[in-house]
Amino acid sequence: MLGRRIWLTGIIFLLSFQAFSQEKSLEFFLSEGLENSPVLKDLQNQVRSNSLDSMLVSASSHPQINFDGYMMYAPVVNGYGYSDVLTNGQNLSSTINISQTVFNRKTIRTQYAHIGILNRSLSNSLRISENELKREIVTRYLSACSINNELSFCQDLLNASQDEDRILRDLVKNGLYKQTEYLSFLIELQNLILQIKELQINYEKELSQLKTYCGIGDTAMYHLVLPEPQGVPAFIPANSPLLKRFEIDSLRIENDKLLIDRHYKPEVKWFSDAGLVNNIPENIYQNFGLSLGLSLSMPVYDGNQRKLNYHKLRISEATRRSYKDFYKSQIDQQVRQLTDELEKTKQVIPQLEKQMDLSKELIKLDRLLLNKGEIPVTDYILAKKNIFNIQKELNQYRIKELQIIYEIMYWGLE
């Protein structure tokens, strides 16, 4: 009766866990995470906003039209007041003013280039954030998968123990095994059920954290599908957004030099106005007119600001090179280490698979001997523990292989 109660407790517990399981893949969580991330939405909106800046540059190069209205009265009382020579006593003006900067195509192209570089920088930052988010989701997903796989194997062991429990009870009744040996089996069975419960608690915790990180609000239980190992593409540093940002910084510094140079070029504007300018109300009908003109402005001396700005850019360039060399060396070393670790991990997996096949054959033989009462129950328990340990280690190495593959992809892929 004790064995039957333990068995029924385990089966009811497993059914309550499995009844609500839905199968979900890594792609599902990656899609949800990318869709729900506020950080990515912020960067996407910045990219959209930056695209409007080019339209602002284009709009600023067109003629600018303004309306100006002005009315002034300066009274003179008993000879006291503003001089009529300066104020005319009163003034009324209402004009439409038009102006446009000309001969500035190079300046506009430089501004467009600046906006383009900023847009590339934002897009690259978006790719970096996407890769970092994917990296974190993959890490959490594989961690949950590891527990899920171990849990599935324990459930299979528990299911297989149903026949073993029935056989052992019959053998104890027939006197082929002692009651103490059967109790040892029940103890191991109870330990297995407790281990399954602990794994389920950990799995629910890992899955909940994964769903929270991806912005998934439901409380359903998911059965996670372990991804198939995929080939790792060749590492090309130029494709890595982690290094591409330094290339973009170099373009930005060069563009900043051009912007500084354009500031010291002559600026020519044409302007025109039309309207009313009057200081004698009775002659107001005679004071409608227009004007045309050109203006020229050019910096002559500003305290060597141009030279100082150049010096700042040289410092920025030195800093950029230092960071680029450091990170390139770091990424190269990281990828080499991961590649070497991946090869060693791949070598271990076939050995564990072979060991697992041998252990399964041993279990089959031991089960036949157990049915005949020809081996101690403790030997059979040790064989089951051995196959469990091998399966656990094999699961860990398979998860590790996937972790290394995705880590290399994080460092090297665009």
Side-chain angles (χ1 to χ4, degrees), residues 209-265:
Q209 291 177 349
L210 174 62
K211 291 196 293 185
T212 299
Y213 193 80
C214 294
I216 302 173
D218 63 53
T219 57
M221 289 302 301
Y222 297 152
H223 174 74
L224 304 185
V225 180
L226 189 67
E228 289 293 331
Q230 52 186 297
V232 181
F235 173 59
I236 303 175
N239 288 343
S240 173
L242 297 171
L243 294 177
K244 189 170 290 187
R245 57 183 171 176
F246 300 113
E247 173 189 331
I248 297 173
D249 285 342
S250 177
L251 296 175
R252 178 187 56 79
I253 291 172
E254 290 299 319
N255 184 259
D256 287 345
K257 289 181 181 179
L258 294 177
L259 288 174
I260 292 172
D261 290 340
R262 298 311 303 172
H263 179 72
Y264 291 92
K265 298 297 181 180

Short mmCIF file of all heavy atoms in Angstrom, two decimals, residues 209-265:
data_model
loop_
_atom_site.label_atom_id
_atom_site.label_comp_id
_atom_site.label_asym_id
_atom_site.label_seq_id
_atom_site.Cartn_x
_atom_site.Cartn_y
_atom_site.Cartn_z
N GLN A 209 10.57 34.24 -14.98
CA GLN A 209 11.54 35.30 -15.21
C GLN A 209 11.75 35.54 -16.70
O GLN A 209 11.88 36.69 -17.14
CB GLN A 209 12.87 34.94 -14.54
CG GLN A 209 12.81 34.96 -13.01
CD GLN A 209 14.12 34.55 -12.37
OE1 GLN A 209 15.03 34.04 -13.05
NE2 GLN A 209 14.25 34.74 -11.08
N LEU A 210 11.78 34.47 -17.49
CA LEU A 210 11.93 34.60 -18.94
C LEU A 210 10.75 35.36 -19.54
O LEU A 210 10.92 36.27 -20.37
CB LEU A 210 12.04 33.21 -19.57
CG LEU A 210 12.06 33.15 -21.10
CD1 LEU A 210 13.28 33.89 -21.66
CD2 LEU A 210 12.05 31.69 -21.59
N LYS A 211 9.53 35.00 -19.15
CA LYS A 211 8.34 35.66 -19.68
C LYS A 211 8.30 37.13 -19.24
O LYS A 211 7.93 38.01 -20.03
CB LYS A 211 7.08 34.93 -19.23
CG LYS A 211 6.92 33.56 -19.87
CD LYS A 211 5.51 33.02 -19.71
CE LYS A 211 5.18 32.71 -18.27
NZ LYS A 211 3.84 32.08 -18.15
N THR A 212 8.68 37.40 -18.01
CA THR A 212 8.71 38.79 -17.54
C THR A 212 9.71 39.61 -18.34
O THR A 212 9.42 40.75 -18.74
CB THR A 212 9.07 38.83 -16.04
OG1 THR A 212 8.09 38.12 -15.29
CG2 THR A 212 9.12 40.27 -15.54
N TYR A 213 10.86 39.05 -18.61
CA TYR A 213 11.90 39.77 -19.36
C TYR A 213 11.44 40.04 -20.79
O TYR A 213 11.80 41.06 -21.38
CB TYR A 213 13.20 38.96 -19.36
CG TYR A 213 14.40 39.73 -19.83
CD1 TYR A 213 15.05 40.60 -18.96
CD2 TYR A 213 14.87 39.62 -21.13
CE1 TYR A 213 16.15 41.33 -19.38
CE2 TYR A 213 15.97 40.34 -21.56
CZ TYR A 213 16.60 41.19 -20.67
OH TYR A 213 17.69 41.92 -21.09
N CYS A 214 10.65 39.13 -21.35
CA CYS A 214 10.17 39.29 -22.73
C CYS A 214 8.87 40.08 -22.81
O CYS A 214 8.34 40.28 -23.91
CB CYS A 214 9.97 37.91 -23.38
SG CYS A 214 11.50 36.98 -23.62
N GLY A 215 8.34 40.50 -21.67
CA GLY A 215 7.11 41.27 -21.68
C GLY A 215 5.87 40.44 -21.92
O GLY A 215 4.86 40.94 -22.41
N ILE A 216 5.91 39.14 -21.57
CA ILE A 216 4.76 38.24 -21.74
C ILE A 216 4.01 38.19 -20.42
O ILE A 216 4.57 37.80 -19.40
CB ILE A 216 5.22 36.84 -22.17
CG1 ILE A 216 6.01 36.92 -23.48
CG2 ILE A 216 4.04 35.90 -22.33
CD1 ILE A 216 6.65 35.61 -23.89
N GLY A 217 2.73 38.55 -20.45
CA GLY A 217 2.00 38.71 -19.20
C GLY A 217 1.18 37.52 -18.76
O GLY A 217 0.58 37.56 -17.69
N ASP A 218 1.09 36.44 -19.56
CA ASP A 218 0.23 35.33 -19.16
C ASP A 218 0.92 34.47 -18.11
O ASP A 218 2.11 34.60 -17.83
CB ASP A 218 -0.16 34.47 -20.37
CG ASP A 218 1.05 33.81 -21.03
OD1 ASP A 218 1.81 33.15 -20.33
OD2 ASP A 218 1.22 33.97 -22.26
N THR A 219 0.14 33.57 -17.51
CA THR A 219 0.66 32.69 -16.45
C THR A 219 0.65 31.23 -16.89
O THR A 219 0.79 30.33 -16.06
CB THR A 219 -0.19 32.83 -15.18
OG1 THR A 219 -1.56 32.54 -15.49
CG2 THR A 219 -0.10 34.24 -14.63
N ALA A 220 0.49 30.98 -18.20
CA ALA A 220 0.44 29.59 -18.70
C ALA A 220 1.81 28.93 -18.57
O ALA A 220 2.85 29.59 -18.62
CB ALA A 220 -0.02 29.57 -20.15
N MET A 221 1.78 27.60 -18.41
CA MET A 221 3.01 26.83 -18.37
C MET A 221 3.40 26.44 -19.80
O MET A 221 2.55 26.02 -20.59
CB MET A 221 2.85 25.57 -17.52
CG MET A 221 2.75 25.85 -16.03
SD MET A 221 4.19 26.74 -15.39
CE MET A 221 5.50 25.60 -15.79
N TYR A 222 4.69 26.59 -20.12
CA TYR A 222 5.18 26.26 -21.46
C TYR A 222 6.17 25.11 -21.38
O TYR A 222 6.98 25.03 -20.45
CB TYR A 222 5.89 27.47 -22.09
CG TYR A 222 5.01 28.67 -22.33
CD1 TYR A 222 5.56 29.95 -22.34
CD2 TYR A 222 3.64 28.55 -22.56
CE1 TYR A 222 4.78 31.07 -22.56
CE2 TYR A 222 2.85 29.66 -22.79
CZ TYR A 222 3.41 30.91 -22.79
OH TYR A 222 2.63 32.02 -23.01
N HIS A 223 6.11 24.27 -22.39
CA HIS A 223 7.16 23.26 -22.58
C HIS A 223 8.13 23.81 -23.62
O HIS A 223 7.75 24.06 -24.76
CB HIS A 223 6.56 21.94 -23.06
CG HIS A 223 7.60 20.92 -23.41
ND1 HIS A 223 8.35 20.25 -22.46
CD2 HIS A 223 8.03 20.47 -24.62
CE1 HIS A 223 9.18 19.43 -23.06
NE2 HIS A 223 9.02 19.54 -24.37
N LEU A 224 9.37 24.04 -23.22
CA LEU A 224 10.35 24.68 -24.09
C LEU A 224 11.05 23.66 -24.97
O LEU A 224 11.46 22.59 -24.50
CB LEU A 224 11.37 25.44 -23.25
CG LEU A 224 10.80 26.50 -22.29
CD1 LEU A 224 11.93 27.27 -21.62
CD2 LEU A 224 9.87 27.45 -23.02
N VAL A 225 11.19 24.01 -26.25
CA VAL A 225 11.85 23.13 -27.21
C VAL A 225 13.31 23.54 -27.33
O VAL A 225 13.63 24.70 -27.60
CB VAL A 225 11.17 23.23 -28.59
CG1 VAL A 225 11.86 22.32 -29.59
CG2 VAL A 225 9.69 22.90 -28.47
N LEU A 226 14.20 22.59 -27.11
CA LEU A 226 15.62 22.88 -27.20
C LEU A 226 16.03 23.11 -28.66
O LEU A 226 15.75 22.26 -29.52
CB LEU A 226 16.44 21.72 -26.62
CG LEU A 226 17.94 21.97 -26.44
CD1 LEU A 226 18.17 23.02 -25.37
CD2 LEU A 226 18.65 20.68 -26.07
N PRO A 227 16.65 24.24 -28.99
CA PRO A 227 17.04 24.50 -30.38
C PRO A 227 18.08 23.49 -30.87
O PRO A 227 18.88 22.97 -30.09
CB PRO A 227 17.64 25.92 -30.33
CG PRO A 227 17.20 26.49 -29.03
CD PRO A 227 17.02 25.34 -28.09
N GLU A 228 18.05 23.24 -32.17
CA GLU A 228 19.07 22.39 -32.77
C GLU A 228 20.37 23.18 -32.93
O GLU A 228 20.35 24.35 -33.30
CB GLU A 228 18.60 21.90 -34.14
CG GLU A 228 17.48 20.88 -34.09
CD GLU A 228 17.91 19.56 -33.48
OE1 GLU A 228 19.10 19.22 -33.60
OE2 GLU A 228 17.06 18.87 -32.88
N PRO A 229 21.52 22.55 -32.63
CA PRO A 229 22.80 23.25 -32.83
C PRO A 229 22.96 23.65 -34.30
O PRO A 229 22.62 22.89 -35.20
CB PRO A 229 23.85 22.21 -32.42
CG PRO A 229 23.12 21.26 -31.54
CD PRO A 229 21.71 21.21 -32.06
N GLN A 230 23.44 24.85 -34.52
CA GLN A 230 23.62 25.34 -35.88
C GLN A 230 25.09 25.70 -36.11
O GLN A 230 25.84 25.92 -35.16
CB GLN A 230 22.74 26.57 -36.13
CG GLN A 230 22.90 27.67 -35.08
CD GLN A 230 21.90 28.79 -35.29
OE1 GLN A 230 21.94 29.46 -36.30
NE2 GLN A 230 21.02 28.99 -34.32
N GLY A 231 25.47 25.73 -37.39
CA GLY A 231 26.84 26.08 -37.70
C GLY A 231 27.15 27.52 -37.35
O GLY A 231 26.30 28.40 -37.48
N VAL A 232 28.36 27.75 -36.91
CA VAL A 232 28.78 29.10 -36.55
C VAL A 232 29.45 29.75 -37.76
O VAL A 232 30.44 29.23 -38.27
CB VAL A 232 29.76 29.07 -35.36
CG1 VAL A 232 30.17 30.49 -34.98
CG2 VAL A 232 29.13 28.36 -34.18
N PRO A 233 28.92 30.87 -38.26
CA PRO A 233 29.55 31.53 -39.40
C PRO A 233 30.92 32.08 -39.03
O PRO A 233 31.23 32.31 -37.86
CB PRO A 233 28.58 32.66 -39.75
CG PRO A 233 27.79 32.88 -38.50
CD PRO A 233 27.72 31.56 -37.79
N ALA A 234 31.75 32.27 -40.04
CA ALA A 234 33.10 32.81 -39.80
C ALA A 234 33.00 34.19 -39.16
O ALA A 234 32.15 35.01 -39.52
CB ALA A 234 33.87 32.88 -41.12
N PHE A 235 33.87 34.43 -38.21
CA PHE A 235 33.88 35.71 -37.50
C PHE A 235 34.53 36.77 -38.38
O PHE A 235 35.71 36.68 -38.72
CB PHE A 235 34.63 35.57 -36.18
CG PHE A 235 34.82 36.88 -35.46
CD1 PHE A 235 33.73 37.64 -35.09
CD2 PHE A 235 36.09 37.35 -35.18
CE1 PHE A 235 33.90 38.84 -34.43
CE2 PHE A 235 36.27 38.55 -34.52
CZ PHE A 235 35.18 39.30 -34.15
N ILE A 236 33.76 37.81 -38.73
CA ILE A 236 34.26 38.93 -39.52
C ILE A 236 34.12 40.19 -38.67
O ILE A 236 33.00 40.67 -38.45
CB ILE A 236 33.46 39.07 -40.84
CG1 ILE A 236 33.53 37.77 -41.63
CG2 ILE A 236 34.00 40.24 -41.66
CD1 ILE A 236 32.68 37.78 -42.89
N PRO A 237 35.24 40.73 -38.17
CA PRO A 237 35.15 41.89 -37.27
C PRO A 237 34.35 43.05 -37.85
O PRO A 237 33.64 43.75 -37.12
CB PRO A 237 36.62 42.26 -37.05
CG PRO A 237 37.38 41.00 -37.28
CD PRO A 237 36.62 40.27 -38.36
N ALA A 238 34.47 43.25 -39.18
CA ALA A 238 33.78 44.39 -39.79
C ALA A 238 32.27 44.27 -39.68
O ALA A 238 31.55 45.28 -39.76
CB ALA A 238 34.18 44.52 -41.26
N ASN A 239 31.75 43.04 -39.48
CA ASN A 239 30.31 42.84 -39.37
C ASN A 239 29.78 43.09 -37.97
O ASN A 239 28.58 43.18 -37.77
CB ASN A 239 29.94 41.42 -39.80
CG ASN A 239 30.06 41.21 -41.29
OD1 ASN A 239 30.12 42.18 -42.05
ND2 ASN A 239 30.10 39.97 -41.72
N SER A 240 30.68 43.14 -37.00
CA SER A 240 30.24 43.28 -35.62
C SER A 240 29.85 44.72 -35.32
O SER A 240 30.66 45.64 -35.47
CB SER A 240 31.36 42.85 -34.67
OG SER A 240 31.01 43.14 -33.33
N PRO A 241 28.60 44.96 -34.88
CA PRO A 241 28.21 46.33 -34.52
C PRO A 241 29.00 46.87 -33.34
O PRO A 241 29.10 48.08 -33.17
CB PRO A 241 26.72 46.19 -34.19
CG PRO A 241 26.51 44.75 -33.88
CD PRO A 241 27.51 44.00 -34.71
N LEU A 242 29.58 45.96 -32.54
CA LEU A 242 30.40 46.41 -31.41
C LEU A 242 31.66 47.12 -31.90
O LEU A 242 32.19 48.00 -31.21
CB LEU A 242 30.79 45.22 -30.54
CG LEU A 242 29.62 44.47 -29.87
CD1 LEU A 242 30.12 43.20 -29.23
CD2 LEU A 242 28.96 45.37 -28.85
N LEU A 243 32.16 46.75 -33.09
CA LEU A 243 33.33 47.41 -33.66
C LEU A 243 32.94 48.46 -34.71
O LEU A 243 33.66 49.42 -34.92
CB LEU A 243 34.25 46.37 -34.30
CG LEU A 243 34.91 45.38 -33.34
CD1 LEU A 243 35.74 44.35 -34.10
CD2 LEU A 243 35.79 46.11 -32.32
N LYS A 244 31.79 48.25 -35.34
CA LYS A 244 31.35 49.19 -36.37
C LYS A 244 31.10 50.58 -35.79
O LYS A 244 31.21 51.59 -36.49
CB LYS A 244 30.10 48.65 -37.06
CG LYS A 244 29.70 49.44 -38.30
CD LYS A 244 28.61 48.72 -39.08
CE LYS A 244 29.16 47.47 -39.73
NZ LYS A 244 28.16 46.83 -40.63
N ARG A 245 30.77 50.65 -34.52
CA ARG A 245 30.52 51.96 -33.91
C ARG A 245 31.76 52.85 -33.94
O ARG A 245 31.65 54.07 -34.06
CB ARG A 245 30.05 51.79 -32.47
CG ARG A 245 31.01 51.00 -31.58
CD ARG A 245 30.46 50.80 -30.19
NE ARG A 245 31.28 49.87 -29.43
CZ ARG A 245 31.07 49.58 -28.14
NH1 ARG A 245 30.06 50.15 -27.50
NH2 ARG A 245 31.84 48.73 -27.52
N PHE A 246 32.95 52.22 -33.88
CA PHE A 246 34.18 53.02 -33.93
C PHE A 246 34.44 53.53 -35.35
O PHE A 246 34.99 54.61 -35.53
CB PHE A 246 35.36 52.18 -33.44
CG PHE A 246 35.20 51.70 -32.02
CD1 PHE A 246 35.05 50.36 -31.75
CD2 PHE A 246 35.19 52.60 -30.97
CE1 PHE A 246 34.89 49.92 -30.45
CE2 PHE A 246 35.03 52.17 -29.66
CZ PHE A 246 34.87 50.82 -29.40
N GLU A 247 34.04 52.75 -36.35
CA GLU A 247 34.12 53.21 -37.73
C GLU A 247 33.20 54.41 -37.94
O GLU A 247 33.58 55.40 -38.60
CB GLU A 247 33.72 52.07 -38.66
CG GLU A 247 33.60 52.46 -40.12
CD GLU A 247 32.99 51.36 -40.96
OE1 GLU A 247 33.16 50.18 -40.60
OE2 GLU A 247 32.34 51.68 -41.97
N ILE A 248 32.01 54.34 -37.37
CA ILE A 248 31.07 55.46 -37.48
C ILE A 248 31.60 56.69 -36.73
O ILE A 248 31.46 57.82 -37.20
CB ILE A 248 29.69 55.04 -36.94
CG1 ILE A 248 29.12 53.90 -37.80
CG2 ILE A 248 28.73 56.22 -36.92
CD1 ILE A 248 27.84 53.31 -37.25
N ASP A 249 32.23 56.47 -35.58
CA ASP A 249 32.82 57.59 -34.84
C ASP A 249 33.90 58.29 -35.65
O ASP A 249 34.05 59.51 -35.59
CB ASP A 249 33.41 57.09 -33.52
CG ASP A 249 32.34 56.79 -32.48
OD1 ASP A 249 31.20 57.27 -32.65
OD2 ASP A 249 32.63 56.07 -31.51
N SER A 250 34.67 57.51 -36.42
CA SER A 250 35.69 58.11 -37.27
C SER A 250 35.07 59.02 -38.33
O SER A 250 35.55 60.13 -38.58
CB SER A 250 36.51 57.01 -37.94
OG SER A 250 37.47 57.57 -38.83
N LEU A 251 33.97 58.56 -38.93
CA LEU A 251 33.27 59.39 -39.91
C LEU A 251 32.70 60.65 -39.27
O LEU A 251 32.72 61.73 -39.87
CB LEU A 251 32.14 58.58 -40.55
CG LEU A 251 32.56 57.36 -41.39
CD1 LEU A 251 31.33 56.59 -41.85
CD2 LEU A 251 33.41 57.79 -42.58
N ARG A 252 32.21 60.50 -38.05
CA ARG A 252 31.66 61.66 -37.35
C ARG A 252 32.72 62.72 -37.08
O ARG A 252 32.50 63.93 -37.26
CB ARG A 252 31.01 61.23 -36.03
CG ARG A 252 30.45 62.38 -35.22
CD ARG A 252 29.99 61.91 -33.85
NE ARG A 252 31.06 61.24 -33.12
CZ ARG A 252 32.02 61.89 -32.47
NH1 ARG A 252 32.09 63.22 -32.49
NH2 ARG A 252 32.95 61.22 -31.81
N ILE A 253 33.91 62.28 -36.68
CA ILE A 253 34.99 63.22 -36.40
C ILE A 253 35.41 63.95 -37.67
O ILE A 253 35.63 65.18 -37.66
CB ILE A 253 36.19 62.47 -35.76
CG1 ILE A 253 35.82 61.99 -34.35
CG2 ILE A 253 37.43 63.37 -35.71
CD1 ILE A 253 36.84 61.08 -33.72
N GLU A 254 35.51 63.23 -38.77
CA GLU A 254 35.85 63.87 -40.05
C GLU A 254 34.77 64.87 -40.47
O GLU A 254 35.07 65.96 -40.98
CB GLU A 254 36.03 62.81 -41.14
CG GLU A 254 37.27 61.95 -40.98
CD GLU A 254 38.56 62.77 -41.01
OE1 GLU A 254 38.63 63.71 -41.85
OE2 GLU A 254 39.46 62.50 -40.21
N ASN A 255 33.52 64.51 -40.25
CA ASN A 255 32.44 65.42 -40.59
C ASN A 255 32.44 66.66 -39.69
O ASN A 255 32.13 67.77 -40.15
CB ASN A 255 31.10 64.69 -40.47
CG ASN A 255 29.92 65.54 -40.90
OD1 ASN A 255 29.21 66.10 -40.06
ND2 ASN A 255 29.72 65.68 -42.21
N ASP A 256 32.79 66.46 -38.43
CA ASP A 256 32.89 67.62 -37.52
C ASP A 256 33.95 68.60 -38.00
O ASP A 256 33.79 69.83 -37.86
CB ASP A 256 33.19 67.16 -36.10
CG ASP A 256 32.00 66.50 -35.43
OD1 ASP A 256 30.87 66.67 -35.95
OD2 ASP A 256 32.19 65.83 -34.40
N LYS A 257 35.04 68.10 -38.56
CA LYS A 257 36.07 68.99 -39.12
C LYS A 257 35.49 69.82 -40.26
O LYS A 257 35.75 71.03 -40.35
CB LYS A 257 37.25 68.16 -39.62
CG LYS A 257 38.10 67.52 -38.53
CD LYS A 257 39.26 66.74 -39.14
CE LYS A 257 40.10 66.07 -38.07
NZ LYS A 257 41.22 65.28 -38.64
N LEU A 258 34.72 69.18 -41.12
CA LEU A 258 34.11 69.91 -42.24
C LEU A 258 33.12 70.96 -41.74
O LEU A 258 33.05 72.06 -42.29
CB LEU A 258 33.40 68.92 -43.17
CG LEU A 258 34.29 67.93 -43.92
CD1 LEU A 258 33.44 66.97 -44.74
CD2 LEU A 258 35.28 68.65 -44.81
N LEU A 259 32.36 70.62 -40.69
CA LEU A 259 31.41 71.59 -40.14
C LEU A 259 32.14 72.80 -39.56
O LEU A 259 31.68 73.95 -39.70
CB LEU A 259 30.56 70.93 -39.05
CG LEU A 259 29.51 69.92 -39.53
CD1 LEU A 259 28.84 69.24 -38.34
CD2 LEU A 259 28.46 70.61 -40.40
N ILE A 260 33.29 72.55 -38.93
CA ILE A 260 34.09 73.67 -38.41
C ILE A 260 34.59 74.54 -39.57
O ILE A 260 34.52 75.77 -39.52
CB ILE A 260 35.27 73.13 -37.57
CG1 ILE A 260 34.77 72.48 -36.28
CG2 ILE A 260 36.25 74.26 -37.23
CD1 ILE A 260 35.83 71.76 -35.50
N ASP A 261 35.07 73.90 -40.62
CA ASP A 261 35.56 74.65 -41.79
C ASP A 261 34.46 75.48 -42.42
O ASP A 261 34.68 76.63 -42.81
CB ASP A 261 36.14 73.67 -42.82
CG ASP A 261 37.44 73.03 -42.36
OD1 ASP A 261 38.08 73.60 -41.45
OD2 ASP A 261 37.80 71.97 -42.90
N ARG A 262 33.26 74.90 -42.53
CA ARG A 262 32.16 75.63 -43.16
C ARG A 262 31.77 76.86 -42.36
O ARG A 262 31.27 77.85 -42.90
CB ARG A 262 30.94 74.72 -43.33
CG ARG A 262 31.13 73.51 -44.23
CD ARG A 262 31.76 73.86 -45.56
NE ARG A 262 31.02 74.88 -46.30
CZ ARG A 262 31.45 75.46 -47.41
NH1 ARG A 262 32.64 75.14 -47.92
NH2 ARG A 262 30.71 76.36 -48.01
N HIS A 263 32.01 76.81 -41.05
CA HIS A 263 31.68 77.96 -40.21
C HIS A 263 32.53 79.18 -40.56
O HIS A 263 32.11 80.32 -40.32
CB HIS A 263 31.89 77.59 -38.73
CG HIS A 263 31.61 78.71 -37.78
ND1 HIS A 263 30.34 79.17 -37.51
CD2 HIS A 263 32.46 79.49 -37.03
CE1 HIS A 263 30.41 80.16 -36.64
NE2 HIS A 263 31.68 80.38 -36.34
N TYR A 264 33.70 78.95 -41.13
CA TYR A 264 34.62 80.06 -41.44
C TYR A 264 34.56 80.47 -42.91
O TYR A 264 35.40 81.25 -43.36
CB TYR A 264 36.05 79.68 -41.05
CG TYR A 264 36.21 79.57 -39.54
CD1 TYR A 264 36.02 78.35 -38.89
CD2 TYR A 264 36.51 80.70 -38.78
CE1 TYR A 264 36.14 78.26 -37.51
CE2 TYR A 264 36.63 80.60 -37.40
CZ TYR A 264 36.44 79.39 -36.78
OH TYR A 264 36.56 79.31 -35.42
N LYS A 265 33.60 79.94 -43.64
CA LYS A 265 33.42 80.35 -45.03
C LYS A 265 32.48 81.56 -45.09
O LYS A 265 31.60 81.72 -44.23
CB LYS A 265 32.82 79.19 -45.85
CG LYS A 265 33.70 77.95 -45.92
CD LYS A 265 35.02 78.24 -46.62
CE LYS A 265 35.87 76.97 -46.70
NZ LYS A 265 37.17 77.22 -47.37
#
